Amino acid sequence: MHPNALLELATELLHRVLQFKHPADGVVSDFFRQNKALGSRERHTLAETTYNVLRQRLLFQHLAQSGKGEMERRLAVLGWRGNEGFLRAALAPAEQQWLAQVQAVDRAALPEKLRHNLPDWLAEALQRELGDDFWPFVESMSAGAPLDLRVNALKARREAVTAALAAAGIAAEDTPFSPLGLRIHGKPALHKLDVFTRGEVEVQDEGSQLLALLLDAKRGEMVADFCAGAGGKTLALGAAMRNTGRLYAFDTSGHRLAALKPRLARSGLSNVYPVQIAHERDERVKRLAGKIDRVLVDAPCSGLGTLRRNPDLKWRQTPQAIEELRAKQGAILASAARLVKPGGRLVYATCSLLREENEAIAQAFGEANTNFRPLPADEVLGAAHVARSAELVREGFLRLWPQRHGTDGFFAAVWQKA
């Protein structure tokens, strides 16, 4: 492909993504479907350039003001994550001169806002929360995320999967905390490998694995994954139950539950019952009141813990949207709690970084439901063979951060019903 044609495509893709009407990953996937002739290297350049611009949007927009021509083209040039020679071949002499001037700017001397690339409301909340750890957090956000796998304990052992990946030329290391996790750097084509097609591994962030371990589902129990989504945690719970008992996967989206079907088939699990519900007070939920041993509520949230993977979220979320989510989170947790039988366990989790969606929701629930006793997350994780569990916990809650733990940002609270 001619260098200028690829830059034109990057410009067009950014134009679509920066409207922020839809999640960036979906916009990129649609764009690739419409441009089927693109090779893997070209797709990689386009996707990485787009995500680089999303991560550093404020900085690049500031630097782009001095240039000429279409704004999205200037942003694509500044965020370019492909062959440098290829980019230079696409630029007119005046553009090359402009790029050299911009690259010479001392970025460390720029205002804070242009260095952290966060909207004001989010930067303020995180500076309050993190203190001196704020800038390491900012750095971790722009580094991107590794690829974590969870070994399906029903079918394989971690050592055997590591060896099989090594034989395929893929280096994997044990995750530092989860006893089931493997971490891979780079983006190999996993779906073509035997260990994947046989269901011996699933793609799942280590933080998400730890949420499933907090529930500590056992053989023969009745367990509910209350907001199952595409089912990463559902699969982990089913394997922990050794494919016995009953595991209900509830979700309001039939589309998300449909995405669970092929993963279930690979996993070898037959104890999972996907159930589409209209809302958290659905009749099908009410029928199970007081009957479930363990309930996981992975609540709908801002998703800000996944900024390494989804940098567009910081521009698409608003304080108003967070307020609406808080009402939903409280209602879902209250409904899910009704399922738990006496002596049973309840876990509330999010992939948010914000105290309002995390500690505030858990504390309000605890005050309103004194029959639920909080369990210290470090003790629960220790019992589930999680290494160095004390490092993962603050104020009794699981609190994961990318710059501290190498995972996405996660929160979880655990209770036992009296």
Side-chain angles (χ1 to χ4, degrees), residues 325-344:
L325 280 167
R326 279 170 51 86
K328 194 184 279 188
Q329 287 156 354
I332 288 172
L333 179 54
S335 290
R338 293 184 195 120
L339 296 178
V340 184
K341 74 186 205 188

Side-chain angles (χ1 to χ4, degrees), residues 161-172:
V161 172
T162 305
L165 288 170
I170 297 167

Side-chain angles (χ1 to χ4, degrees), residues 40 62 167 299:
S40 64
H62 169 78

Side-chain angles (χ1 to χ4, degrees), residues 5 154 334:
L154 267 189

